[in-house]
Structures are given as C-alpha cells and as structure tokens.
Amino acid sequence: MKESVSRVRLFDGPLDLSWRHCATTSDFIADLFALRFQSSRNDYMEVRHSIGYLANELIENAVKFRAPGEIVIEASMDSECFKLKVSNDVDGENASEFQSLLADITVGDPKDLLIQRIEANAANPDVGHSGLGLLTLMSDYGARLAWIFSSADENDRICLETYASIPISQTQN
C-alpha cells in the first residue's frame, strides 16, 4: 500500500474485542472514505455500503479467529479502488483450517462457489467456517483478496495479513 494510508488499531484489553467493535470500526472507515463522494447521495451511499461491508467482514473474521493481541487495519483509496489490509495473529490450528477453507473457495468462479456454499450450509447449518462472507465479497462486490501467513513467534502463533481491494467508481453526472 503505497498511497496515503489510514491506520486503526484495535487493542485487546479489559473490554475485550467483540462484534460491536467490528461494526463501529467498519462504519467509521466507511464514513471516512466515502466523504469524497458526498456531492452525490447515490454514489456516497453505494461507496459507503461497499466499504463498510468489506471492512466489517474482514474485521469480524479477525476478531472471531484471532489469538489474543491487537488487530491492525490499514486502508487507502485512489480514484479506482479501495484497499484494506487487516493484520492479526491466529493460532496454528485456526491458520490450518483457514488455509484449507481458502483452498476450497479460491478455485473456480466465485458466483458458482457462493451458490454451492449456500446450498451446503442449508443442508448442514452446523458448518463452522463456511466462507460465505468472503465469497459474497468476491462475487457481489468484485473484491480481490489475498492472504499472507507468516510465523509470529515460537508459541504456534501465525501472523495473518488479509489484503482486499474493491473497485470504486463515481457515477458521471
């Protein structure tokens, strides 16, 4: 991310990180980056929604599957796309499960895979890691996603960096 980057850190502490932090943080990021589109209500609402959905999905995943510690969110936007990077630590078991899920949901057409996953979840609702949020981002929002897993320390912790970008365009008036 070479553009001007905005960074937010969610610290683990006495209040514990929870779902409400995900929504609050993603709303803040969406509001901040959608401001440049405020001259057109439709553009503003569309951009705010897309950024908010992307940020919320990735931050929720980081909160849900993290090992204790902070979550760092970095965001930037140029004239064509919004970029987001979410970094957090996960334990080795969660990293392995997530890598297996990624192997399943990143091969093939996202729209087809999304339908298959929805059907599979309807048949077996107890599936823990469905990938529906990530597939929705790829299928419906045109998100491009990437992940880097690297050793964080000797205690079976893995640093997970999730990268995402979505196209942003302003309607010509």
Side-chain angles (χ1 to χ4, degrees), residues 7-90:
R7 182 175 298 121
V8 174
R9 291 181 189 271
L10 301 178
F11 292 99
D12 205 4
L15 297 177
D16 199 26
L17 288 172
S18 66
W19 294 113
R20 67 181 151 70
H21 296 108
C22 302
T24 302
T25 305
S26 60
D27 284 348
F28 171 75
I29 292 168
D31 286 338
L32 178 68
F33 283 93
L35 278 176
R36 71 175 69 174
F37 296 93
Q38 66 187 353
S39 63
S40 166
R41 178 165 168 71
N42 288 341
D43 289 342
Y44 172 81
M45 296 304 286
E46 182 178 334
V47 168
R48 187 189 180 290
H49 170 77
S50 295
I51 290 172
Y53 186 85
L54 173 74
N56 193 62
E57 185 62 36
L58 298 186
I59 295 168
E60 277 185 358
N61 283 349
V63 167
K64 185 175 179 180
F65 301 111
R66 72 183 170 82
E70 70 182 24
I71 296 170
V72 178
I73 302 130
E74 298 175 75
S76 68
M77 186 164 66
D78 60 28
S79 62
E80 297 180 10
C81 73
F82 172 78
K83 298 174 186 168
L84 187 71
K85 174 184 171 188
V86 178
S87 304
N88 61 287
D89 287 351
V90 296

Coordinates of all heavy atoms in Angstrom, one line a residue, residues 7-90:
R7 N -4.6 4.2 9.4 CA -4.4 3.0 10.2 C -5.2 3.1 11.5 O -5.2 4.1 12.2 CB -2.9 2.9 10.6 CG -2.6 1.6 11.4 CD -1.1 1.5 11.6 NE -0.4 1.3 10.3 CZ 0.5 2.1 9.8 NH1 1.0 3.1 10.5 NH2 1.1 1.9 8.7
V8 N -5.9 2.0 11.9 CA -6.6 1.9 13.1 C -6.1 0.6 13.8 O -6.0 -0.4 13.2 CB -8.1 1.7 12.8 CG1 -8.9 1.5 14.1 CG2 -8.7 2.9 12.1
R9 N -5.9 0.7 15.1 CA -5.5 -0.4 15.9 C -6.6 -0.7 16.9 O -7.1 0.1 17.6 CB -4.2 -0.2 16.7 CG -3.0 -0.1 15.8 CD -1.8 0.2 16.7 NE -0.6 0.4 15.9 CZ 0.2 -0.5 15.4 NH1 0.0 -1.7 15.7 NH2 1.2 -0.1 14.7
L10 N -7.0 -2.0 16.9 CA -8.0 -2.5 18.0 C -7.1 -3.2 19.0 O -6.5 -4.3 18.6 CB -9.0 -3.4 17.3 CG -9.9 -2.7 16.2 CD1 -10.9 -3.8 15.7 CD2 -10.6 -1.5 16.7
F11 N -7.1 -2.7 20.2 CA -6.3 -3.3 21.2 C -7.1 -4.3 22.0 O -8.2 -4.1 22.4 CB -5.7 -2.3 22.1 CG -4.6 -1.4 21.5 CD1 -5.0 -0.2 21.0 CD2 -3.3 -1.9 21.3 CE1 -4.0 0.6 20.4 CE2 -2.4 -1.1 20.7 CZ -2.7 0.2 20.2
D12 N -6.4 -5.4 22.4 CA -7.0 -6.4 23.3 C -6.8 -5.8 24.7 O -5.8 -5.4 25.0 CB -6.3 -7.7 23.1 CG -7.1 -8.9 23.5 OD1 -8.3 -8.7 23.8 OD2 -6.5 -10.0 23.5
G13 N -7.9 -5.9 25.5 CA -7.7 -5.3 26.8 C -8.9 -5.7 27.7 O -9.6 -6.7 27.4
P14 N -9.1 -4.9 28.8 CA -10.1 -5.3 29.7 C -11.5 -5.3 29.2 O -12.4 -6.0 29.7 CB -10.0 -4.2 30.8 CG -9.1 -3.1 30.3 CD -8.4 -3.7 29.1
L15 N -11.8 -4.5 28.1 CA -13.1 -4.6 27.5 C -13.3 -5.7 26.5 O -14.4 -6.0 26.1 CB -13.4 -3.3 26.8 CG -13.5 -2.0 27.7 CD1 -13.7 -0.8 26.8 CD2 -14.6 -2.1 28.7
D16 N -12.2 -6.4 26.1 CA -12.2 -7.5 25.2 C -12.8 -7.0 23.8 O -13.7 -6.2 23.8 CB -13.0 -8.7 25.7 CG -12.6 -9.9 24.9 OD1 -11.5 -10.0 24.4 OD2 -13.5 -10.9 24.9
L17 N -12.2 -7.5 22.8 CA -12.7 -7.1 21.4 C -14.0 -8.0 21.2 O -14.0 -9.1 21.4 CB -11.7 -7.5 20.4 CG -10.5 -6.5 20.3 CD1 -9.4 -7.0 19.4 CD2 -10.9 -5.1 19.9
S18 N -15.0 -7.3 20.6 CA -16.3 -8.0 20.4 C -16.9 -7.6 19.1 O -16.4 -6.7 18.4 CB -17.2 -7.8 21.5 OG -17.6 -6.5 21.6
W19 N -18.0 -8.1 18.7 CA -18.7 -7.8 17.5 C -19.0 -6.4 17.3 O -19.0 -5.8 16.2 CB -20.0 -8.6 17.3 CG -19.7 -10.1 17.2 CD1 -20.1 -11.1 18.2 CD2 -19.1 -10.8 16.2 NE1 -19.7 -12.3 17.7 CE2 -19.1 -12.2 16.5 CE3 -18.5 -10.4 15.0 CZ2 -18.5 -13.1 15.7 CZ3 -18.0 -11.4 14.2 CH2 -17.9 -12.7 14.5
R20 N -19.4 -5.7 18.4 CA -19.7 -4.3 18.3 C -18.6 -3.4 17.9 O -18.7 -2.4 17.2 CB -20.4 -3.8 19.6 CG -19.5 -3.7 20.8 CD -20.3 -3.2 22.0 NE -19.8 -3.7 23.3 CZ -18.6 -3.3 23.8 NH1 -17.8 -2.5 23.2 NH2 -18.2 -3.9 24.9
H21 N -17.3 -3.9 18.2 CA -16.2 -3.1 17.8 C -16.0 -3.3 16.2 O -15.6 -2.3 15.6 CB -14.9 -3.7 18.4 CG -14.9 -3.4 19.9 ND1 -15.1 -4.5 20.8 CD2 -14.8 -2.3 20.6 CE1 -15.0 -4.0 22.0 NE2 -14.9 -2.7 22.0
C22 N -16.4 -4.4 15.7 CA -16.3 -4.6 14.2 C -17.2 -3.6 13.5 O -16.8 -2.9 12.6 CB -16.8 -6.0 13.9 SG -15.8 -7.3 14.6
A23 N -18.5 -3.5 13.9 CA -19.5 -2.6 13.3 C -19.1 -1.2 13.4 O -19.1 -0.4 12.5 CB -20.8 -2.9 13.8
T24 N -18.7 -0.8 14.6 CA -18.3 0.6 14.9 C -17.1 1.0 14.0 O -17.0 2.0 13.4 CB -18.0 0.8 16.4 OG1 -19.1 0.5 17.1 CG2 -17.6 2.2 16.7
T25 N -16.1 0.1 14.0 CA -14.8 0.4 13.3 C -15.1 0.4 11.8 O -14.6 1.3 11.0 CB -13.8 -0.7 13.6 OG1 -13.6 -0.7 15.0 CG2 -12.5 -0.3 12.9
S26 N -15.9 -0.5 11.2 CA -16.2 -0.6 9.8 C -17.0 0.6 9.4 O -16.8 1.2 8.3 CB -16.8 -1.9 9.4 OG -18.0 -2.1 10.0
D27 N -18.0 1.0 10.2 CA -18.8 2.3 10.0 C -17.9 3.5 9.9 O -18.0 4.3 9.0 CB -19.8 2.5 11.0 CG -21.0 1.5 10.8 OD1 -21.1 0.9 9.8 OD2 -21.9 1.4 11.8
F28 N -16.9 3.6 10.8 CA -16.0 4.7 10.8 C -15.2 4.8 9.6 O -15.1 5.8 8.9 CB -15.1 4.6 12.1 CG -14.0 5.6 12.0 CD1 -14.2 7.0 12.3 CD2 -12.7 5.2 11.7 CE1 -13.2 7.9 12.3 CE2 -11.6 6.1 11.7 CZ -11.9 7.5 12.0
I29 N -14.6 3.6 9.2 CA -13.8 3.6 8.0 C -14.6 3.9 6.7 O -14.2 4.7 5.9 CB -13.1 2.2 7.8 CG1 -12.1 2.0 8.9 CG2 -12.5 2.0 6.4 CD1 -11.6 0.6 9.1
A30 N -15.8 3.4 6.6 CA -16.7 3.6 5.5 C -17.1 5.1 5.4 O -17.0 5.7 4.3 CB -18.0 2.8 5.6
D31 N -17.4 5.7 6.6 CA -17.8 7.1 6.6 C -16.6 8.0 6.1 O -16.7 8.9 5.3 CB -18.2 7.6 8.0 CG -19.6 7.1 8.4 OD1 -20.4 6.8 7.5 OD2 -19.9 7.0 9.6
L32 N -15.4 7.7 6.7 CA -14.2 8.4 6.3 C -13.9 8.4 4.8 O -13.6 9.4 4.2 CB -13.0 7.9 7.1 CG -11.7 8.5 6.9 CD1 -11.7 9.9 7.4 CD2 -10.6 7.7 7.6
F33 N -13.9 7.2 4.2 CA -13.5 7.1 2.8 C -14.6 7.5 1.9 O -14.3 7.8 0.7 CB -13.0 5.7 2.6 CG -11.6 5.6 3.1 CD1 -11.3 5.0 4.3 CD2 -10.5 5.9 2.3 CE1 -10.0 4.9 4.8 CE2 -9.2 5.8 2.8 CZ -9.0 5.3 4.0
A34 N -15.9 7.4 2.3 CA -17.0 7.8 1.4 C -17.2 9.3 1.3 O -17.9 9.8 0.4 CB -18.3 7.1 1.8
L35 N -16.5 10.1 2.2 CA -16.7 11.5 2.3 C -16.5 12.2 0.9 O -17.2 13.1 0.5 CB -15.8 12.2 3.3 CG -16.3 12.1 4.7 CD1 -15.3 12.7 5.7 CD2 -17.7 12.8 4.9
R36 N -15.5 11.7 0.1 CA -15.2 12.4 -1.1 C -16.4 12.2 -2.1 O -16.4 12.9 -3.2 CB -13.9 11.9 -1.7 CG -13.9 10.5 -2.2 CD -12.7 10.1 -2.9 NE -11.6 10.0 -1.9 CZ -10.4 9.5 -2.1 NH1 -10.1 9.2 -3.4 NH2 -9.5 9.5 -1.2
F37 N -17.3 11.4 -1.8 CA -18.5 11.2 -2.7 C -19.7 11.8 -2.3 O -20.8 11.6 -2.8 CB -18.7 9.6 -2.9 CG -17.6 8.9 -3.5 CD1 -16.6 8.3 -2.8 CD2 -17.5 8.8 -4.9 CE1 -15.5 7.7 -3.4 CE2 -16.5 8.2 -5.5 CZ -15.5 7.6 -4.8
Q38 N -19.6 12.7 -1.3 CA -20.8 13.3 -0.7 C -21.6 14.2 -1.6 O -22.7 14.5 -1.3 CB -20.5 14.0 0.6 CG -19.6 15.2 0.5 CD -19.1 15.8 1.8 OE1 -19.6 15.3 2.8 NE2 -18.2 16.7 1.8
S39 N -21.0 14.7 -2.7 CA -21.7 15.5 -3.6 C -22.9 14.8 -4.3 O -23.8 15.4 -4.9 CB -20.8 16.2 -4.7 OG -20.2 15.2 -5.5
S40 N -22.8 13.5 -4.4 CA -23.9 12.6 -5.0 C -24.3 11.6 -3.9 O -23.6 10.7 -3.5 CB -23.4 11.9 -6.2 OG -24.3 10.9 -6.6
R41 N -25.6 11.8 -3.5 CA -26.1 10.9 -2.4 C -26.0 9.4 -2.9 O -25.6 8.6 -2.1 CB -27.5 11.3 -2.1 CG -28.2 10.3 -1.1 CD -29.4 10.9 -0.5 NE -30.2 9.9 0.3 CZ -29.8 9.5 1.5 NH1 -28.7 9.8 2.0 NH2 -30.6 8.6 2.1
N42 N -26.4 9.1 -4.1 CA -26.3 7.7 -4.6 C -24.9 7.2 -4.5 O -24.7 6.1 -4.1 CB -26.9 7.6 -6.0 CG -28.4 7.8 -6.0 OD1 -29.1 7.6 -5.0 ND2 -28.9 8.1 -7.2
D43 N -23.9 7.9 -5.1 CA -22.5 7.5 -5.0 C -22.1 7.3 -3.6 O -21.4 6.3 -3.2 CB -21.6 8.5 -5.7 CG -21.8 8.5 -7.2 OD1 -22.3 7.6 -7.8 OD2 -21.3 9.5 -7.8
Y44 N -22.4 8.3 -2.7 CA -22.0 8.2 -1.3 C -22.5 7.0 -0.7 O -21.8 6.2 0.0 CB -22.4 9.5 -0.6 CG -22.2 9.4 0.9 CD1 -20.9 9.7 1.5 CD2 -23.2 9.0 1.8 CE1 -20.7 9.5 2.8 CE2 -23.0 8.9 3.1 CZ -21.7 9.2 3.7 OH -21.5 9.0 5.0
M45 N -23.8 6.7 -0.8 CA -24.4 5.6 -0.2 C -23.8 4.3 -0.7 O -23.6 3.3 0.1 CB -25.9 5.6 -0.4 CG -26.6 6.8 0.3 SD -26.3 6.9 2.1 CE -27.3 5.6 2.7
E46 N -23.6 4.2 -2.0 CA -23.1 2.9 -2.6 C -21.6 2.7 -2.1 O -21.3 1.6 -1.7 CB -23.1 3.0 -4.1 CG -22.6 1.7 -4.8 CD -22.7 1.8 -6.3 OE1 -23.6 2.5 -6.8 OE2 -21.9 1.1 -7.0
V47 N -20.8 3.7 -2.2 CA -19.4 3.6 -1.8 C -19.3 3.3 -0.3 O -18.6 2.4 0.1 CB -18.6 4.8 -2.1 CG1 -17.2 4.8 -1.4 CG2 -18.5 5.0 -3.6
R48 N -20.1 4.0 0.5 CA -20.1 3.7 2.0 C -20.5 2.3 2.3 O -19.9 1.6 3.1 CB -21.1 4.7 2.7 CG -20.9 4.6 4.2 CD -22.0 5.4 4.9 NE -21.9 5.3 6.3 CZ -22.1 4.2 7.0 NH1 -22.6 3.1 6.4 NH2 -22.0 4.2 8.3
H49 N -21.6 1.8 1.6 CA -22.1 0.5 1.8 C -21.0 -0.6 1.5 O -20.7 -1.5 2.2 CB -23.3 0.2 1.1 CG -23.7 -1.3 1.1 ND1 -24.3 -1.8 2.2 CD2 -23.6 -2.2 0.2 CE1 -24.5 -3.1 1.9 NE2 -24.1 -3.4 0.7
S50 N -20.4 -0.4 0.3 CA -19.4 -1.4 -0.2 C -18.2 -1.4 0.7 O -17.7 -2.5 1.1 CB -18.9 -1.0 -1.6 OG -20.0 -1.2 -2.5
I51 N -17.7 -0.2 1.1 CA -16.5 -0.2 2.0 C -16.9 -0.8 3.4 O -16.1 -1.5 4.0 CB -16.0 1.2 2.1 CG1 -15.3 1.7 0.8 CG2 -15.0 1.4 3.3 CD1 -14.9 3.1 0.7
G52 N -18.1 -0.4 3.9 CA -18.5 -0.9 5.2 C -18.7 -2.4 5.2 O -18.2 -3.0 6.2
Y53 N -19.2 -2.9 4.2 CA -19.4 -4.4 4.1 C -18.1 -5.1 4.1 O -17.8 -6.1 4.8 CB -20.3 -4.8 2.9 CG -20.6 -6.3 2.9 CD1 -21.7 -6.8 3.6 CD2 -19.8 -7.2 2.2 CE1 -22.0 -8.1 3.6 CE2 -20.1 -8.6 2.2 CZ -21.2 -9.0 2.9 OH -21.5 -10.3 3.0
L54 N -17.2 -4.6 3.2 CA -15.8 -5.2 3.1 C -15.1 -5.1 4.5 O -14.6 -6.2 5.0 CB -15.0 -4.5 2.0 CG -13.5 -4.9 2.0 CD1 -13.4 -6.3 1.3 CD2 -12.8 -3.9 1.2
A55 N -15.1 -4.0 5.0 CA -14.3 -3.8 6.3 C -15.0 -4.6 7.4 O -14.2 -5.3 8.2 CB -14.3 -2.3 6.7
N56 N -16.3 -4.6 7.5 CA -16.9 -5.4 8.6 C -16.6 -6.9 8.4 O -16.3 -7.6 9.4 CB -18.4 -5.1 8.6 CG -19.1 -5.6 9.8 OD1 -18.8 -5.2 10.9 ND2 -20.0 -6.6 9.7
E57 N -16.7 -7.4 7.3 CA -16.5 -8.8 7.0 C -15.1 -9.2 7.5 O -14.9 -10.2 8.2 CB -16.7 -9.2 5.6 CG -16.6 -10.7 5.3 CD -17.6 -11.5 6.0 OE1 -18.8 -11.1 6.2 OE2 -17.2 -12.7 6.5
L58 N -14.1 -8.4 7.0 CA -12.7 -8.8 7.4 C -12.4 -8.6 8.8 O -11.6 -9.3 9.4 CB -11.7 -8.0 6.4 CG -11.9 -8.3 4.9 CD1 -10.8 -7.6 4.2 CD2 -11.9 -9.8 4.6
I59 N -12.9 -7.5 9.4 CA -12.7 -7.2 10.8 C -13.4 -8.3 11.7 O -12.8 -8.8 12.7 CB -13.1 -5.8 11.2 CG1 -12.2 -4.8 10.5 CG2 -13.0 -5.6 12.7 CD1 -12.7 -3.4 10.6
E60 N -14.6 -8.7 11.3 CA -15.3 -9.8 12.1 C -14.5 -11.1 12.0 O -14.3 -11.7 13.1 CB -16.7 -10.0 11.5 CG -17.7 -9.1 12.0 CD -19.1 -9.4 11.5 OE1 -19.3 -10.4 10.7 OE2 -20.0 -8.7 11.9
N61 N -13.9 -11.4 10.9 CA -13.1 -12.6 10.8 C -11.9 -12.5 11.7 O -11.5 -13.5 12.3 CB -12.7 -12.9 9.3 CG -13.8 -13.5 8.5 OD1 -14.8 -13.9 9.0 ND2 -13.6 -13.5 7.2
A62 N -11.3 -11.3 11.7 CA -10.1 -11.2 12.5 C -10.4 -11.3 14.0 O -9.7 -11.9 14.8 CB -9.4 -9.8 12.2
V63 N -11.5 -10.7 14.4 CA -12.0 -10.8 15.8 C -12.3 -12.3 16.2 O -12.0 -12.8 17.2 CB -13.1 -9.8 16.1 CG1 -13.8 -10.2 17.5 CG2 -12.6 -8.4 16.1
K64 N -13.1 -12.9 15.3 CA -13.6 -14.2 15.6 C -12.5 -15.3 15.7 O -12.5 -16.2 16.5 CB -14.6 -14.6 14.4 CG -15.3 -15.9 14.6 CD -16.3 -16.1 13.5 CE -17.0 -17.4 13.7 NZ -18.0 -17.7 12.6
F65 N -11.5 -15.2 14.8 CA -10.5 -16.3 14.8 C -9.1 -15.9 15.3 O -8.1 -16.6 15.1 CB -10.3 -16.7 13.3 CG -11.6 -17.3 12.8 CD1 -12.3 -16.6 11.8 CD2 -12.2 -18.4 13.3 CE1 -13.5 -17.1 11.3 CE2 -13.4 -18.9 12.8 CZ -14.1 -18.2 11.8
R66 N -9.0 -14.7 16.0 CA -7.7 -14.3 16.4 C -7.2 -15.0 17.6 O -7.9 -15.5 18.4 CB -7.8 -12.8 16.6 CG -8.5 -12.4 17.9 CD -8.7 -10.9 18.1 NE -9.6 -10.7 19.2 CZ -9.3 -10.7 20.5 NH1 -8.1 -11.0 20.8 NH2 -10.2 -10.5 21.4
A67 N -5.9 -14.9 17.7 CA -5.2 -15.2 19.0 C -5.2 -13.9 19.8 O -5.3 -12.9 19.2 CB -3.8 -15.8 18.7
P68 N -5.0 -14.0 21.1 CA -5.0 -12.7 21.9 C -4.0 -11.7 21.3 O -2.9 -12.1 20.9 CB -4.7 -13.1 23.3 CG -5.1 -14.6 23.3 CD -4.9 -15.1 22.0
G69 N -4.4 -10.5 21.3 CA -3.5 -9.4 20.7 C -4.3 -8.4 19.9 O -5.5 -8.5 19.7
E70 N -3.6 -7.5 19.4 CA -4.2 -6.4 18.6 C -4.5 -6.8 17.2 O -4.0 -7.7 16.7 CB -3.3 -5.1 18.7 CG -2.1 -5.3 17.8 CD -1.2 -4.0 17.9 OE1 -1.3 -3.3 18.9 OE2 -0.4 -3.8 17.0
I71 N -5.4 -6.0 16.6 CA -5.8 -6.1 15.2 C -5.4 -4.8 14.6 O -5.8 -3.7 15.1 CB -7.3 -6.5 15.0 CG1 -7.6 -7.8 15.6 CG2 -7.6 -6.4 13.5 CD1 -9.1 -8.2 15.7
V72 N -4.7 -4.8 13.5 CA -4.3 -3.6 12.8 C -5.1 -3.5 11.5 O -5.0 -4.5 10.7 CB -2.8 -3.5 12.6 CG1 -2.4 -2.2 11.8 CG2 -2.1 -3.5 13.9
I73 N -5.7 -2.4 11.2 CA -6.5 -2.2 10.0 C -5.8 -1.0 9.3 O -5.7 0.0 9.9 CB -8.0 -1.9 10.3 CG1 -8.6 -3.1 11.1 CG2 -8.7 -1.7 9.0 CD1 -9.3 -2.6 12.3
E74 N -5.5 -1.2 8.0 CA -4.9 -0.2 7.2 C -5.8 0.0 5.9 O -6.1 -1.0 5.3 CB -3.5 -0.5 6.8 CG -2.5 -0.6 8.0 CD -1.1 -1.0 7.6 OE1 -0.4 -0.2 7.1 OE2 -0.8 -2.2 7.9
A75 N -6.1 1.2 5.6 CA -7.0 1.4 4.5 C -6.5 2.6 3.6 O -5.9 3.6 4.2 CB -8.4 1.7 5.0
S76 N -6.7 2.5 2.3 CA -6.4 3.6 1.4 C -7.4 3.5 0.2 O -8.0 2.5 0.0 CB -4.9 3.5 0.9 OG -4.8 2.4 0.1
M77 N -7.4 4.6 -0.5 CA -8.3 4.7 -1.7 C -7.7 5.6 -2.7 O -7.2 6.7 -2.4 CB -9.7 5.1 -1.3 CG -10.7 5.1 -2.4 SD -12.4 5.2 -1.9 CE -12.6 6.8 -1.3
D78 N -7.8 5.2 -3.9 CA -7.4 6.1 -5.0 C -8.7 6.3 -5.9 O -9.8 5.9 -5.5 CB -6.2 5.5 -5.8 CG -6.5 4.1 -6.5 OD1 -7.6 3.8 -6.8 OD2 -5.5 3.4 -6.7
S79 N -8.5 6.8 -7.1 CA -9.7 7.1 -7.9 C -10.4 5.8 -8.4 O -11.5 5.9 -8.8 CB -9.3 7.9 -9.1 OG -8.4 7.3 -9.9
E80 N -9.8 4.7 -8.3 CA -10.3 3.5 -8.9 C -10.7 2.4 -7.9 O -11.5 1.5 -8.2 CB -9.4 2.9 -10.0 CG -9.2 3.8 -11.1 CD -8.3 3.3 -12.2 OE1 -8.0 2.1 -12.1 OE2 -7.9 4.0 -13.1
C81 N -10.0 2.3 -6.7 CA -10.3 1.2 -5.8 C -10.0 1.6 -4.4 O -9.2 2.5 -4.1 CB -9.6 0.0 -6.2 SG -7.8 -0.1 -5.9
F82 N -10.7 0.9 -3.5 CA -10.5 1.0 -2.0 C -9.7 -0.2 -1.7 O -10.0 -1.3 -2.1 CB -11.8 1.0 -1.3 CG -11.7 0.9 0.2 CD1 -11.3 2.0 0.9 CD2 -11.9 -0.3 0.8 CE1 -11.2 1.9 2.3 CE2 -11.8 -0.4 2.2 CZ -11.4 0.7 2.9
K83 N -8.6 0.0 -0.8 CA -7.8 -1.1 -0.4 C -7.8 -1.2 1.1 O -7.8 -0.2 1.8 CB -6.3 -0.9 -0.9 CG -6.2 -0.9 -2.4 CD -4.8 -0.5 -2.8 CE -4.8 -0.3 -4.3 NZ -3.5 0.3 -4.8
L84 N -7.8 -2.5 1.6 CA -7.8 -2.7 3.0 C -6.9 -3.8 3.4 O -6.8 -4.8 2.6 CB -9.3 -3.1 3.4 CG -9.5 -3.2 4.9 CD1 -9.6 -1.8 5.6 CD2 -10.9 -3.9 5.1
K85 N -6.2 -3.7 4.5 CA -5.3 -4.7 5.0 C -5.6 -4.9 6.4 O -5.7 -3.9 7.2 CB -3.8 -4.3 4.8 CG -2.8 -5.3 5.5 CD -1.4 -4.8 5.4 CE -0.5 -5.6 6.2 NZ 0.9 -5.0 6.2
V86 N -5.9 -6.1 6.8 CA -6.2 -6.4 8.2 C -5.2 -7.4 8.7 O -5.0 -8.5 8.1 CB -7.6 -7.0 8.4 CG1 -7.9 -7.4 9.9 CG2 -8.7 -6.0 7.9
S87 N -4.5 -7.1 9.8 CA -3.4 -8.0 10.3 C -3.8 -8.4 11.8 O -4.2 -7.5 12.6 CB -2.1 -7.2 10.4 OG -1.7 -6.7 9.1
N88 N -3.6 -9.7 12.0 CA -3.8 -10.2 13.4 C -3.1 -11.5 13.5 O -2.7 -12.1 12.5 CB -5.3 -10.3 13.7 CG -6.0 -11.3 12.7 OD1 -6.2 -11.0 11.6 ND2 -6.4 -12.5 13.2
D89 N -3.0 -12.0 14.7 CA -2.4 -13.3 15.0 C -3.4 -14.3 15.1 O -4.5 -14.0 15.6 CB -1.5 -13.2 16.2 CG -0.2 -12.5 16.1 OD1 0.1 -12.1 14.9 OD2 0.5 -12.3 17.1
V90 N -3.2 -15.5 14.7 CA -4.1 -16.7 14.8 C -3.2 -17.8 15.4 O -2.0 -17.8 15.2 CB -4.8 -17.1 13.5 CG1 -5.7 -16.0 13.1 CG2 -3.8 -17.4 12.4

